[in-house]
Amino acid sequence: MLRRSIEALPIRVLLGGAAGVLALLTLGFATDLSLRAWSRHAEAVRIVQTAEAGRELFRAAAAMRLERGEGLTALAGPAPDPDSARILAPRAEAEAATGAALAALDAAEARTRAVEAKLAEAGEALATAREARAGAAARAEASDLRRVEMGRVSGERFSCPPPVLPERVGFASAEVGTPEAESARHDQLLRDRERIGPVNLVAEQELAELSVALDRMTGERDELTEAVNRLRGSIGSLNREGRARLLQAFAAVDGHFRRLFTQLFGGGEAYLQLVDSDDPLEAGLEIMAQPPGKKLASLTLLSGGEQALTAVALIFGLFLTNPAPVCVLDEVDAPLDDANVERFCDLLDAMAAGTATRYLIVTHNAVTMSRMHRLFGVTMVERGVSRLVSVDLGAAEALLAAQ
């Protein structure tokens, strides 16, 4: 839009041809003023010449009066006669004429000064008119050259003469201002365009590429948003199902743990408790136990043997809830005394008979080893030589019974 306005403004200046007519009118007015000033100048020159002639006449009359006055003085005597009076009468008339001539001379000089002042004013007006005439002529010539140039530009750029430019470019000719206003607007638009900077000729192609990229990224964003929403829905479903399953498994493990704890200790009670949060997925687990003859306390406040038996009850409760093919217990009976070892072995026999899990016990306790079905160990018959030993205690007992 800025470029179109800049291109159309010179044509709008062209259409402001009224300024050219005004320049011609100004030129004609200046010419008429020059003629009138010249006429007044000529009249002033004529008046000055008349005044100079009057001055010369006055000087001649004054010289003649002096001569006649001297002659009349010489003729005058002590007793004038009638002839003398008659002779002196022309003198009086000459003096009166001289006074009138002096008054006329003063009036002529006053008029001369006024005329000279008017002449000076007329000279100044003439000079001003000449300057105005020269300026108007220069402006008229510049307007003619600009009109011709704008006609050429209109033909080259828009392929049409200036009169049809409003219809071709798309603006109302009545809105065209004076050449000065249109030129000022054109200069302002040029400055605005310079501030904008150079035109990117591949902007349209870049816009198309960016539009395609934007559409692609918008589609990807929508897909990601939909995927996030689906994932959040799935996470919510998994959390709900996980809470339900966790509470169900927690209840089953807690029931087995209570029963096994009572069986191991020959009494007392114990239970599992969720702490630190109402959400089962974020809550912690606290083991509360009360062996026979003691107060209910946390697992950390029990002795080593009591902690070992409580942990065994919890492990076996987990295996009863979710059985596994193999269970490995490493030195579980180490902190137990002989009575508790027997209780542990009794529970282990019950678990082996009631489940399909194979229990592997790593131990150094002779009581525990004697209660196992099969033994696997390492022995050193010769110094520095280790041997693997495997004993089936059930087969050995059957062999001894047969003998």
Side-chain angles (χ1 to χ4, degrees):
M1 180 62 71
L2 179 61
R3 180 184 296 177
R4 184 176 180 182
S5 300
I6 294 175
E7 292 178 349
L9 273 175
I11 309 308
R12 294 167 67 93
V13 175
L14 171 63
L15 293 179
V21 176
L22 179 62
L24 294 177
L25 293 176
T26 304
L27 179 60
F29 174 73
T31 303
D32 181 64
L33 183 62
S34 299
L35 294 176
R36 289 163 58 187
W38 179 258
S39 176
R40 293 176 64 184
H41 177 72
E43 182 180 359
V45 171
R46 181 176 57 79
I47 293 174
V48 171
Q49 291 177 354
T50 303
E52 292 294 334
R55 286 195 185 96
E56 294 296 332
L57 179 61
F58 175 74
R59 292 190 186 94
M64 291 177 61
R65 182 174 63 82
L66 290 176
E67 279 182 20
R68 292 179 65 184
E70 291 175 356
L72 291 176
T73 303
L75 292 176
D81 53 6
D83 294 333
S84 298
R86 189 174 59 253
I87 294 172
L88 292 175
R91 178 183 177 183
E93 295 176 359
E95 290 179 353
T98 301
L102 290 174
L105 179 61
D106 294 336
E109 289 180 350
R111 289 196 299 273
T112 299
R113 287 192 295 272
V115 169
E116 288 178 350
K118 292 182 179 180
L119 179 61
E121 293 178 358
E124 293 179 358
L126 178 60
T128 303
R130 285 176 177 173
E131 292 178 359
R133 180 173 179 272
R139 287 193 297 272
E141 184 178 359
S143 297
D144 290 339
L145 294 176
R146 191 173 182 82
R147 178 176 57 81
V148 173
E149 178 64 19
M150 290 300 101
R152 184 186 64 79
V153 171
S154 174
E156 292 179 356
R157 185 173 298 178
F158 301 100
S159 301
C160 65
V164 297
L165 276 177
E167 181 180 358
R168 175 66 63 86
V169 179
F171 62 90
S173 58
E175 298 177 356
V176 179
T178 61
E180 292 79 9
E182 296 295 337
S183 297
R185 184 181 176 189
H186 180 260
D187 295 338
Q188 181 63 36
L189 291 176
L190 287 177
R191 288 192 294 270
D192 294 341
R193 187 181 68 178
E194 292 297 330
R195 282 196 297 269
I196 292 175
V199 177
N200 187 4
L201 299 179
V202 295
E204 184 176 1
Q205 179 180 356
E206 292 179 354
L207 176 61
E209 295 175 356
L210 291 176
S211 299
V212 173
L214 177 61
D215 295 338
R216 184 181 66 257
M217 289 187 289
T218 302
E220 293 176 355
R221 182 200 61 188
D222 296 339
E223 293 178 359
L224 290 175
T225 302
E226 184 179 357
V228 168
N229 293 332
R230 288 199 303 268
L231 287 175
R232 287 177 177 174
S234 300
I235 291 172
S237 300
L238 291 175
N239 287 338
R240 289 190 296 271
E241 185 176 358
R243 291 187 186 95
R245 291 189 178 185
L246 178 59
L247 291 176
Q248 182 180 359
F250 176 79
V253 171
D254 184 55
H256 292 304
F257 174 66
R258 290 171 184 264
R259 179 176 59 82
L260 294 176
F261 181 86
T262 303
Q263 182 178 352
L264 276 175
F265 283 90
E269 64 174 334
Y271 62 89
L272 302 178
Q273 181 180 4
L274 297 176
V275 295
D276 298 335
S277 177
D278 296 333
D279 187 359
L281 298 177
E282 297 180 0
L285 180 64
E286 184 73 24
I287 301 175
M288 305 299 295
Q290 184 181 5
K294 293 188 176 182
K295 295 181 180 180
L296 181 67
S298 174
L299 179 65
T300 57
L301 300 179
L302 300 178
S303 63
E306 292 171 343
Q307 289 181 359
L309 289 178
T310 303
V312 167
L314 179 60
I315 292 173
F316 286 162
L318 291 173
F319 272 91
L320 289 175
T321 303
N322 187 19
V326 178
C327 176
V328 179
L329 300 176
D330 185 8
E331 299 291 349
V332 174
D333 55 353
L336 302 178
D337 55 13
D338 293 339
N340 288 329
V341 169
E342 290 293 341
R343 292 177 181 177
F344 167 69
C345 291
D346 293 339
L347 179 61
L348 187 60
D349 291 338
M351 291 293 298
T355 63
T357 303
R358 304 296 296 271
Y359 293 92
L360 300 179
I361 310 300
V362 178
T363 182
H364 291 86
N365 192 297
V367 176
T368 303
M369 288 188 288
S370 65
R371 299 286 297 271
M372 298 296 104
H373 298 158
R374 184 182 292 273
L375 296 178
F376 298 93
V378 178
T379 183
M380 184 179 295
V381 179
E382 298 178 9
R383 183 176 181 82
V385 179
S386 298
R387 292 180 59 187
L388 294 177
V389 177
S390 176
V391 179
D392 189 349
L393 295 182
E397 292 178 356
L399 180 61
L400 291 175
Q403 291 178 357

